Amino acid sequence: MDDRTVIRRIAMSARGFTLLETLVAVSILSLALAGILSLSAIGIHSSSNSANQIKAFFLASEAVEYVRNKRDNNILAGSGWLSGLSGCEAGCSIDAFNDTISVCAGVCPKIKFNSATNLYGYTSGTDSIFTRKLTITQSVAYEIKLSSEISWQQGGISRNFVLEERLFDLSF
Amino acid sequence: MFKKGFTMLEMIVAIGVFSIAVLLAVSSFLSLQSAEKKIQSLVNVQNNLRFAMEIMAKEIRTGELYHCGADSGVQPLDCPSGGPSLTFKNTAGQTTIYKKINSSIQKSSNGGIVFQPLTSSDITVDDLKFYVIGAPSNENLQPKVLIALKASGRIGASVSEFNLQTSVSQRKPAP
C-alpha cells in the first residue's frame, strides 16, 4: 500500500455532508418546528372563537326573548299579537335596552358596544364585531318562526349561527 | 497532519450559528408559553361567566316578583337605568338574590342571610347590572330583565376581558 492510497482512503472516510443531505435535514427540522407552532396558533384562534361564540349565543337569545316579551305585552294590552313587529319578515334589528325594533334595509347594522355602560345596543358606543338579524316567518295565522342570526368576522373568516324559536298566538 | 481539527475561526462561526438557532427556538417557546397562559385565563373567564349567566337567566326566567335596585327589598320594583342587585321569588318559592360582592357574583336563596359565590376567585367580575321593566303589576306589562356582565381574568401579566349581555322575559303569565 503506497502513500497515495492511504491518503485517498482517509479522504474518503472523512467526507463531510453533501449539500443535499444538509438541505433534507434542515427541512425536516423546520417542518417539525412549523407543525408545533401552527398547532399552538390554531389553539389561540379557536379559544378566541369560542369566546365570540358564547357572546353571540347570549345576544341571539336576547332577540328571541325580546320578541316573546313583545308578544306577551301585545296580548296583555289587547292589541294584535304581532303588532310592532311588521317588516321583520325581511329581517330587522332589535335594541333590547332602548326597546326599539327597526327594519334592516338590506344589511343589518353592526351591534355597538358601549364600554362605559357595558351594554350592547345601536345608539352609543363603538361597533362590535357582531351583526344580529331577526327574521319572522309566518306560515299559519297562530304561529311564527323566529330566526335570530348572529354573524361576525374573525381573522378574515365569516362565522355565523342561527337560533330558532317558534311562538304561538296565545289569544287565538 | 491528516487529523487537522478545527481552526479557531471555524469554531467561532459554528458556535455563533448554533447559539442563534438556540436563541430563536427558546424565544419562540417562551412566547408559546405566554400564549398558553393567556388562553388558560380566557377559557377560565369564559367557563365562569357562561355558567353564571346560564344559571341566572334560567332562574330569573322561571321566577317572578322582581325587585331591582341597590337594596334587597321584596316589593316588585323596576330599574330602567340599571341596578346592581336583583331580588325575586324563584319557582321553589325562595327569595333569591343575585348581586356582585367583592368581585364575584354571589347568590342567596334565603333572602340575603347566606350568600354563595357563583364565580371562582381566579376571575374578577367588574360589573353586573340588571335592567328590569314591567315588574310592578299595575304597569300591565310582562316583566323583562336585561343582564349585563363584565369580567376579567388574570394569569401572570395577561388579562382577558369578557362582556356578556342577554335578556329574559318572565315565563309565568302576569297576574
Side-chain angles (χ1 to χ4, degrees):
Chain A
M1 203 188 285
D2 62 351
D3 279 0
R4 256 186 209 169
T5 328
V6 171
I7 291 168
R8 193 173 294 138
R9 192 162 291 166
I10 289 170
M12 283 297 282
S13 67
R15 207 162 51 94
F17 299 111
T18 66
L19 185 60
L20 191 70
E21 282 168 346
T22 319
L23 280 179
V24 168
V26 167
S27 59
I28 287 176
L29 197 70
S30 51
L31 264 180
L33 272 178
I36 295 170
L37 283 175
S38 72
L39 207 65
S40 91
I42 291 169
I44 295 167
H45 192 76
S46 60
S47 89
S48 77
N49 184 38
S50 81
N52 287 336
Q53 269 182 333
I54 293 173
K55 290 178 197 171
F57 167 74
F58 282 109
L59 287 172
S61 80
E62 177 179 65
V64 170
E65 289 284 317
Y66 179 86
V67 177
R68 175 186 282 271
N69 190 264
K70 188 92 187 156
R71 179 213 49 189
D72 290 354
N73 282 338
N74 283 337
I75 292 171
L76 282 174
S79 46
W81 72 296
L82 291 176
S83 87
L85 293 168
S86 58
C88 285
E89 298 81 19
C92 50
S93 61
I94 279 168
D95 190 328
F97 177 66
N98 289 308
D99 199 0
T100 52
I101 302 174
S102 24
V103 176
C104 298
V107 187
C108 289
K110 277 190 174 143
I111 304 178
K112 290 190 169 77
F113 178 70
N114 185 335
S115 53
T117 57
N118 296 322
L119 285 171
Y120 288 93
Y122 291 96
T123 47
S124 59
T126 50
D127 276 1
S128 69
I129 56 171
F130 301 108
T131 307
R132 180 169 63 193
K133 181 182 180 187
L134 185 104
T135 318
I136 293 179
T137 322
Q138 184 168 22
S139 46
V140 282
Y142 54 83
E143 182 187 349
I144 54 170
K145 186 181 94 178
L146 296 176
S147 305
S148 179
E149 181 185 7
I150 299 268
S151 46
W152 70 96
Q153 290 276 334
Q154 194 190 6
I157 305 164
S158 56
R159 299 176 181 272
N160 77 317
F161 77 85
V162 183
L163 192 69
E164 274 190 15
E165 172 85 322
R166 271 154 214 275
L167 288 182
F168 293 88
D169 179 6
L170 297 180
S171 61
F172 189 71
Chain B
M1 270 318 269
F2 298 132
K3 295 184 176 175
K4 199 155 66 82
F6 302 111
T7 66
M8 195 62 171
L9 190 70
E10 282 171 345
M11 277 302 278
I12 290 170
V13 169
I15 291 174
V17 168
F18 181 71
S19 53
I20 288 172
V22 167
L23 205 73
L24 281 176
V26 167
S27 71
S28 72
F29 277 105
L30 279 180
S31 67
L32 270 187
Q33 204 186 17
S34 77
E36 198 264 330
K37 275 186 178 158
K38 174 110 183 142
I39 293 176
Q40 207 182 333
S41 76
L42 186 64
V43 167
N44 196 16
V45 175
Q46 280 174 30
N47 286 340
N48 271 280
L49 284 205
R50 193 180 50 186
F51 171 73
M53 199 65 156
E54 205 80 61
I55 290 273
M56 286 194 294
K58 184 223 156 207
E59 201 165 21
I60 293 170
R61 191 181 282 143
T62 52
E64 60 177 326
L65 304 173
Y66 308 120
H67 174 99
C68 168
D71 60 332
S72 306
V74 289
Q75 286 304 311
L77 184 69
D78 279 357
C79 50
S81 52
S85 163
L86 184 74
T87 310
F88 62 98
K89 204 170 159 191
N90 69 6
T91 36
Q94 297 164 324
T95 304
T96 310
I97 304 171
Y98 283 110
K99 67 197 284 192
K100 175 172 101 76
I101 303 174
N102 296 336
S103 70
S104 71
I105 299 174
Q106 307 224 352
K107 175 192 172 176
S108 170
S109 299
N110 50 13
I113 300 163
V114 182
F115 276 94
Q116 280 178 332
L118 278 183
T119 51
S120 102
S121 53
D122 299 346
I123 73 155
T124 308
V125 176
D126 302 307
D127 195 26
L128 170 68
K129 275 213 172 65
F130 302 97
Y131 299 79
V132 180
I133 293 169
S137 56
N138 60 4
E139 289 181 14
N140 198 32
L141 289 172
Q142 187 70 12
K144 178 169 69 176
V145 182
L146 189 151
I147 312 165
L149 189 49
K150 184 194 176 195
S152 50
R154 185 187 292 270
I155 289 184
S158 59
V159 182
S160 318
E161 279 195 355
F162 203 60
N163 290 290
L164 281 184
Q165 176 184 318
T166 199
S167 292
V168 290
S169 173
Q170 180 182 306
R171 289 296 188 270
K172 193 179 175 190

